[in-house]
């Protein structure tokens, strides 16, 4: 049985009133005076969390980077699996952005396991309407929906085919396996109903793989 499990924020910090030398380290809007940092223990959830926050707070996504090898290889107990940097015009904007990112990571993300077995983890998530960040980086219109589909390499490769066949979607970002954290998958774009169909087909296919690891039947 498929069960949702929690992801967690490891650390968050704000640097107010960034000075000129510090500002030169990153590329963010000239009227943004503060930056925020946040890490979490599951790589993929950060991307939708960041995009969701750009719909609700006056922030800009400055940088996001995944740790090689996953959370077990993090440089400290707070390093997590991924770190992101955001900026905002004021400290309160950054504070709001971090709040929305944390809320998405800990309450809304789609990390699942099968039969309470942590070794069967996978990530499927649906965003009915993308935010500013994904509009900019993927070149998609504001009314686009996204399906985020990730599992370990064989499961992801097998399940992605099922997701595409079950939905009228297109691949807008492909995660070639193995990734830095030894996974694979893709971002699919389309209507909300199409992306929902892709999510369900992918999850069902991953679940089939875990239940039938040696079967050659599809």
């Amino acid at each position: 049985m498929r069960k949702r499990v929690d992801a967690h924020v490891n650390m968050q910090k704000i640097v107010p009133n960034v000075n000129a030398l510090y500002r030169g380290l990153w590329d963010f809007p000239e009227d943004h005076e503060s930056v925020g940092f946040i890490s979490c223990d599951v790589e993929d959830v950060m991307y939708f969390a960041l995009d969701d926050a750009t719909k609700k707070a006056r922030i800009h996504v400055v940088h996001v980077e995944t740790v090689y090898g996953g959370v077990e290889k993090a440089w400290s107990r707070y390093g997590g699996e991924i770190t992101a940097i955001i900026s905002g015009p004021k400290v309160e904007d950054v504070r709001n952005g971090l709040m929305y990112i944390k809320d998405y990571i800990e309450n809304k993300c789609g990390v699942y396991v099968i039969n309470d077995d942590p070794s069967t983890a996978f990530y499927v998530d649906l965003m009915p309407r993308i935010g500013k960040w994904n509009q900019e980086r993927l070149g998609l219109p504001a009314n686009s929906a996204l399906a985020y589909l990730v599992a370990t390499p064989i499961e992801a490769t097998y399940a992605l085919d099922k997701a595409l066949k079950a939905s009228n979607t297109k691949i807008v970002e492909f995660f070639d396996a193995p990734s830095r954290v030894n996974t694979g998958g893709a971002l699919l774009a389309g209507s909300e109903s199409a992306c929902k169909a892709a999510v369900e087909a992918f999850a069902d296919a991953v679940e089939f793989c875990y239940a039938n690891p040696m079967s050659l039947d599809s």
Side-chain angles (χ1 to χ4, degrees):
M1 180 180 294
R2 194 184 312 165
K3 178 183 177 182
R4 183 187 176 277
V5 294
D6 294 333
H8 307 91
V9 169
N10 296 83
M11 182 175 283
Q12 53 182 356
K13 287 288 176 281
I14 292 177
V15 176
N17 302 316
V18 179
N19 66 37
L21 291 176
Y22 208 47
R23 172 182 290 275
L25 298 174
W26 300 294
D27 180 21
F28 54 89
E30 292 185 3
D31 63 335
H32 283 202
E33 299 177 357
S34 301
V35 295
F37 306 86
I38 187 167
S39 64
C40 80
D41 61 0
V42 182
E43 173 207 15
D44 299 286
V45 307
M46 181 70 82
Y47 292 93
F48 265 13
L50 289 168
D51 195 48
D52 184 66
T54 63
K55 296 187 288 188
K56 302 171 180 177
R58 293 195 302 165
I59 60 165
H60 175 74
V61 178
V62 178
H63 182 74
V64 58
E65 195 72 26
T66 303
V67 175
Y68 282 100
V71 69
E72 297 297 330
K73 306 300 181 183
W75 43 268
S76 82
R77 62 180 294 186
Y78 301 109
E81 195 167 85
I82 189 168
T83 299
I85 305 172
I86 62 172
S87 65
K90 303 295 181 184
V91 170
E92 196 59 31
D93 298 312
V94 175
R95 190 182 305 277
N96 288 338
L98 293 175
M99 177 188 69
Y100 289 123
I101 294 167
K102 185 174 187 293
D103 178 62
Y104 194 98
I105 288 170
E106 298 189 343
N107 299 305
K108 300 175 183 178
C109 74
V111 182
Y112 294 89
V113 297
I114 307 299
N115 296 329
D116 291 315
D117 181 355
S119 70
T120 63
F122 62 100
Y123 182 67
V124 288
D125 214 345
L126 170 68
M127 181 166 284
R129 182 179 60 84
I130 61 173
K132 296 177 182 177
W133 186 48
N134 274 328
Q135 291 174 43
E136 294 170 359
R137 76 184 193 91
L138 298 174
L140 295 173
N143 62 347
S144 298
L146 283 178
Y148 200 127
L149 313 173
V150 165
T152 43
I154 292 180
E155 298 93 301
T157 307
Y158 175 86
L160 181 57
D161 175 72
K162 300 294 185 183
L164 290 167
K165 287 175 177 174
S167 65
N168 184 21
T169 57
K170 63 178 181 179
I171 297 175
V172 291
E173 189 170 2
F174 178 61
F175 313 131
D176 198 7
S179 69
R180 284 188 174 186
V181 293
N182 299 314
T183 59
L187 274 178
L188 306 186
S191 67
E192 181 178 352
S193 60
C195 288
K196 184 177 180 180
V199 164
E200 286 303 314
F202 186 91
D204 287 345
V206 170
E207 194 165 359
F208 174 82
C209 288
Y210 286 136
N212 306 275
M214 298 303 294
S215 173
L216 296 180
D217 297 327
S218 58

